[in-house]
Amino acid sequence: MSVLDEELTKARRQSGTLIRFADDWVVLCPTKERAETARSIATTVLATLGLRLHPEKTRIVNLTKGAEGFDFLGFHNHMCESEKWPGHYYLLKWPSDRAMASIKATVRELTQRRFVGRSLDAVVHRLNPALRGWAAYFRHGNSSKKFATVDSYVHQRMAILASNKHGLSGRNWATRFNYGWFTSLGIYRLTGTVGNRSAHALG
């Protein structure tokens, strides 16, 4: 991939700024034409290495005024209008739909009905490292709303598990197992752990 780095860096004035981590990369370009140039260069360079761009994962996205966004390294990146300064747009990032589906799948796996025989403390003991690790990665950005969604999902799953332990209907879990009960379990809560809420203009 260093060959691709070199070629796109040399053609920066004709294409854009390359950002790469391992084999994941994106090129930020001021115009669609320059984005097409970057794609053409990448296609040519990769062909010499016996590689090609993934037809489904490779696309040109229009970020202007939040028209579209793109996923990169687990984050969804999107230009959003400032509430304080209408007309000014900033590039924000938060966990992608795929990342959210992944953490929910982990929570669902660790709180399945088959664990009803275990103590809630034991379930929390297994759950906390997964939540803490996921949050540590996504805490740098604009993830507050997504973190609150994860906390709510964990609350729901733990309450349903508790309902099953006591032979109760899971339909009224919000009343039986409220916020106070949830916080008393010692579950790692993502809300309030976002480290950097600032946004940077794309330019």
Side-chain angles (χ1 to χ4, degrees), residues 45-157:
V45 172
L46 291 177
T48 65
L49 302 174
L51 303 172
R52 66 187 182 92
L53 295 174
H54 194 291
E56 296 179 3
K57 295 183 179 179
T58 305
R59 62 194 183 102
I60 293 176
V61 176
N62 177 19
L63 298 180
T64 305
K65 293 185 177 181
E68 297 178 275
F70 67 95
D71 294 347
F72 184 56
L73 302 180
F75 283 93
H76 179 72
N77 299 265
H78 214 106
M79 295 291 284
C80 298
E81 186 173 12
S82 170
E83 295 181 359
K84 189 174 182 180
W85 295 290
H88 291 76
Y89 286 78
Y90 298 90
L91 186 63
L92 307 185
K93 64 177 183 178
W94 53 80
S96 66
D97 289 345
R98 184 175 180 180
M100 290 293 290
S102 176
I103 188 60
K104 285 186 175 182
T106 298
V107 172
R108 187 167 57 251
E109 169 63 27
L110 296 176
T111 56
Q112 287 188 32
R113 190 186 183 96
R114 61 192 177 93
F115 296 126
V116 71
R118 296 186 180 182
S119 69
L120 292 183
D121 285 344
V123 174
V124 171
H125 182 71
R126 296 186 64 206
L127 193 57
N128 275 349
L131 293 173
R132 189 176 289 109
W134 191 86
Y137 181 81
F138 288 105
R139 68 185 292 269
H140 299 287
N142 312 91
S143 306
S144 295
K145 290 182 179 179
K146 296 297 184 180
F147 276 21
T149 297
V150 173
D151 282 341
S152 179
Y153 184 70
V154 174
H155 184 176
Q156 176 184 345
R157 292 295 304 178

